[in-house]
Amino acid sequence: MTGDELPRLGAWVKLPAPESVELLALAGFDFAVIDAEHGAIDIRTMATMIAMARGCGIAPFVRVPGTAPRDVQVPLDAGAAGLFVPRIDSVAQAHEAVRAVRFPPLGERGASTSGRAGQWGRTPLSDYLRSGNNDVRLVVQAESVTALSAIGEIGAVAGIDAVFIGPMDLAVSGQFQEGSPEMAALITAAEQSCADHCIPLGTVASGHAAELLQRRGYDFLVLGADTTILRQGAHALVNSARAATLGARR
């Protein structure tokens, strides 16, 4: 990594509402990952979310559906702080992601200073190119047995800043049972490989964030999604109110 450290705590944004980003910023999150892979978020809304995040002081990342020029060019020119690229299973695919995201000589990304990333034409071309290669974060997702087995080599590819372990897709693709020792051993080995190669590592966390950060050496975590936070908060409120109502009737 050539710039500042990756922000520490983040959340997925799946609702097509810029206010989700604002609420995450007010809650104290360091970054938001606008989910263009699984969320029903159009390009215009995504660009608005990026602007909202920057205005609120939270780093805007975008999880893209792939590495086609249209997938990566639009969020980067809209000012995304970085991209999460899913389903990177090999060193060859890691190089493909770098080619799509980085400017020459590292990659083949097209250049235009006319968007938010170029301050609408105000940024000199040299600064725009430097920022795209040095400041924009490229996080590749390891979500299969093949990917975790090669995670050290994938994360060492020039132009990649961090690797993100996706446990749900790992369980599905590897046909692991929930909480299986085989899957746990595979993840532990991948964690050690990243530590040995000094590769920044992230994953999702529900209630064990402290363990992941302190004992298992993760550098950044996605703590959940705006949809999950809303559902859990609403559920807790309803349960509390119903319990109080039942108690009052006795």
Side-chain angles (χ1 to χ4, degrees), residues 139-206:
V139 181
V140 296
Q141 296 185 200
E143 304 173 281
S144 69
V145 173
T146 302
L148 264 70
S149 299
I151 198 167
E153 292 78 12
I154 289 171
V157 170
I160 289 176
D161 293 299
V163 178
F164 183 88
I165 295 176
M168 183 175 292
D169 277 314
L170 174 62
V172 172
S173 65
Q175 298 184 345
F176 294 113
Q177 295 296 321
E178 186 176 1
S180 73
E182 295 84 3
M183 180 170 160
L186 184 65
I187 292 175
T188 298
E191 293 167 353
Q192 187 60 53
S193 180
C194 287
D196 292 342
H197 290 83
C198 298
I199 296 166
L201 181 64
T203 191
V204 296
S206 51

Side-chain angles (χ1 to χ4, degrees), residues 87-112:
R87 301 182 303 279
I88 299 299
D89 294 329
S90 66
V91 170
Q93 289 179 324
H95 280 293
E96 181 182 334
V98 171
R99 280 195 296 272
V101 172
R102 301 303 186 193
F103 295 119
L106 283 175
E108 301 172 352
R109 175 185 164 189
S112 173

Side-chain angles (χ1 to χ4, degrees), residues 2-3 53 59:
T2 55

Side-chain angles (χ1 to χ4, degrees), residues 26-189:
L26 290 170
F29 282 89
D30 302 312
F31 68 96
V33 187
I34 301 160
D35 195 351
E37 182 192 16
H38 292 296
I41 298 172
D42 60 35
I43 291 173
R44 182 73 190 105
T45 303
M46 177 187 67
T48 302
M49 287 177 168
I50 291 170
M52 176 77 78
R54 291 202 171 276
C56 293
I58 184 172
F61 286 74
V62 177
R63 176 157 68 174
V64 294
T67 56
R70 185 67 171 170
D71 293 333
V72 303
Q73 189 71 59
V74 173
L76 290 179
D77 279 347
L83 302 181
F84 279 55
V85 179
R87 301 182 303 279
I88 299 299
D89 294 329
S90 66
V91 170
Q93 289 179 324
H95 280 293
E96 181 182 334
V98 171
R99 280 195 296 272
V101 172
R102 301 303 186 193
F103 295 119
L106 283 175
E108 301 172 352
R109 175 185 164 189
S112 173
T113 62
S114 61
R116 183 176 293 111
Q119 292 187 313
W120 312 109
R122 292 184 63 233
T123 301
L125 179 60
S126 59
D127 291 344
Y128 167 79
L129 297 176
R130 179 202 54 74
S131 177
N133 279 347
N134 294 346
D135 299 334
V136 167
R137 297 292 174 225
L138 173 53
V139 181
V140 296
Q141 296 185 200
E143 304 173 281
S144 69
V145 173
T146 302
L148 264 70
S149 299
I151 198 167
E153 292 78 12
I154 289 171
V157 170
I160 289 176
D161 293 299
V163 178
F164 183 88
I165 295 176
M168 183 175 292
D169 277 314
L170 174 62
V172 172
S173 65
Q175 298 184 345
F176 294 113
Q177 295 296 321
E178 186 176 1
S180 73
E182 295 84 3
M183 180 170 160
L186 184 65
I187 292 175
T188 298

